[in-house]
Amino acid sequence: NKFDKFDIVVIRENEEDVYTGIEHRLTGDSYQCTKIITRSGSEKICRYAFEYAKKHSRKKVTCLTKDNIMKMTDGTFHAAFDRIAKEYPDIKAEHYIVDIGMARVATEPENFDVIVTENLYGDILSDIVAQTSGSVGLAGSSNIGNEYAMFEAVHGSAPDIAGKNIANPSGLLNAAVHMLV
């Protein structure tokens, strides 16, 4: 691994975006997927990111969106980030367009601390961060709600290798550590 030391926390909204699964056929050969972003959901996850940073003595929160193209949906998320960031003047806030932001995370992860983003981007980014740190198989994941939480390996249950005695339990063990913390 060419990166000796980096420590990135990816915080992603986990109920909105294209993960709502709203898709339909428009014509015989065209389909549409609906991206849902709410102001309230955006504010909630951005606040969570800054509260996490504050509680864990983190210095910076980075927001990733594609609001240069998706001005209403990603623009809403970015605006929520900017509003919430003003409430935390001791924590540096920065924003990148998602493509250059992810490229920078992959090549200079040591320059990032806490990253907050929407569901799809966060899914992709968490795999990039995990792979950059050594392997997607090593990373644990936490899904934190108001009343409940769920913990799992980033890669999921990996049923394709079940029973072959080749699974690396590190991701599951790291998720268990997240749960105990």
Side-chain angles (χ1 to χ4, degrees), residues 115-156:
I115 303 172
V116 64
T117 191
E118 299 164 30
N119 206 347
L120 177 62
Y121 308 146
D123 188 3
I124 297 165
L125 181 63
S126 62
D127 285 355
I128 291 171
V129 170
Q131 189 65 31
T132 302
S133 70
S135 168
V136 173
L138 301 177
S141 171
S142 307
N143 295 277
I144 309 295
N146 290 333
E147 297 180 39
Y148 303 99
M150 180 184 81
F151 304 86
E152 63 183 343
V154 163
H155 59 68

Side-chain angles (χ1 to χ4, degrees), residues 65-72 74-76 78-79 95 97:
T65 69
K66 189 70 174 171
D67 64 341
N68 60 329
I69 303 299
M70 291 172 274
K71 294 174 178 13
M72 295 177 76
D74 286 32
T76 294
H78 187 177
H95 172 268
I97 298 299

Side-chain angles (χ1 to χ4, degrees), residues 70-95:
M70 291 172 274
K71 294 174 178 13
M72 295 177 76
T73 52
D74 286 32
T76 294
F77 195 92
H78 187 177
F81 175 80
D82 287 346
R83 275 193 306 280
I84 301 299
K86 290 176 185 171
E87 299 174 24
Y88 299 86
D90 295 337
I91 300 171
K92 183 177 179 183
E94 66 181 8
H95 172 268

Side-chain angles (χ1 to χ4, degrees), residues 6-178:
F6 69 93
D7 183 8
I8 297 174
V9 174
V10 177
I11 297 175
R12 86 186 227 215
E13 197 291 320
N14 210 23
E15 296 176 338
E16 299 183 349
D17 202 355
V18 295
Y19 282 57
T20 58
I22 302 169
E23 297 182 297
H24 58 274
R25 179 184 225 156
L26 295 174
T27 68
D29 78 341
S30 65
Y31 302 85
Q32 184 175 45
C33 180
T34 303
K35 178 176 180 132
I36 305 289
I37 300 293
T38 65
R39 182 178 182 186
S40 58
S42 299
E43 288 176 351
K44 183 177 180 181
I45 198 67
C46 289
R47 184 173 310 303
Y48 181 88
F50 279 96
E51 283 295 320
Y52 181 94
K54 181 178 171 182
K55 182 178 180 182
H56 294 92
S57 301
R58 299 290 189 137
K59 307 291 183 220
K60 179 170 62 171
V61 178
T62 304
C63 176
L64 301 181
T65 69
K66 189 70 174 171
D67 64 341
N68 60 329
I69 303 299
M70 291 172 274
K71 294 174 178 13
M72 295 177 76
T73 52
D74 286 32
T76 294
F77 195 92
H78 187 177
F81 175 80
D82 287 346
R83 275 193 306 280
I84 301 299
K86 290 176 185 171
E87 299 174 24
Y88 299 86
D90 295 337
I91 300 171
K92 183 177 179 183
E94 66 181 8
H95 172 268
Y96 288 106
I97 298 299
V98 68
D99 27 1
I100 189 61
M102 286 196 196
R104 291 193 64 202
V105 169
T107 58
E108 49 190 86
E110 69 279 2
N111 292 330
F112 293 87
D113 196 355
V114 174
I115 303 172
V116 64
T117 191
E118 299 164 30
N119 206 347
L120 177 62
Y121 308 146
D123 188 3
I124 297 165
L125 181 63
S126 62
D127 285 355
I128 291 171
V129 170
Q131 189 65 31
T132 302
S133 70
S135 168
V136 173
L138 301 177
S141 171
S142 307
N143 295 277
I144 309 295
N146 290 333
E147 297 180 39
Y148 303 99
M150 180 184 81
F151 304 86
E152 63 183 343
V154 163
H155 59 68
S157 61
D160 57 321
I161 60 171
K164 296 182 180 176
N165 202 26
I166 60 172
N168 183 336
S170 298
L172 190 57
L173 293 171
N174 277 321
V177 170
H178 289 250

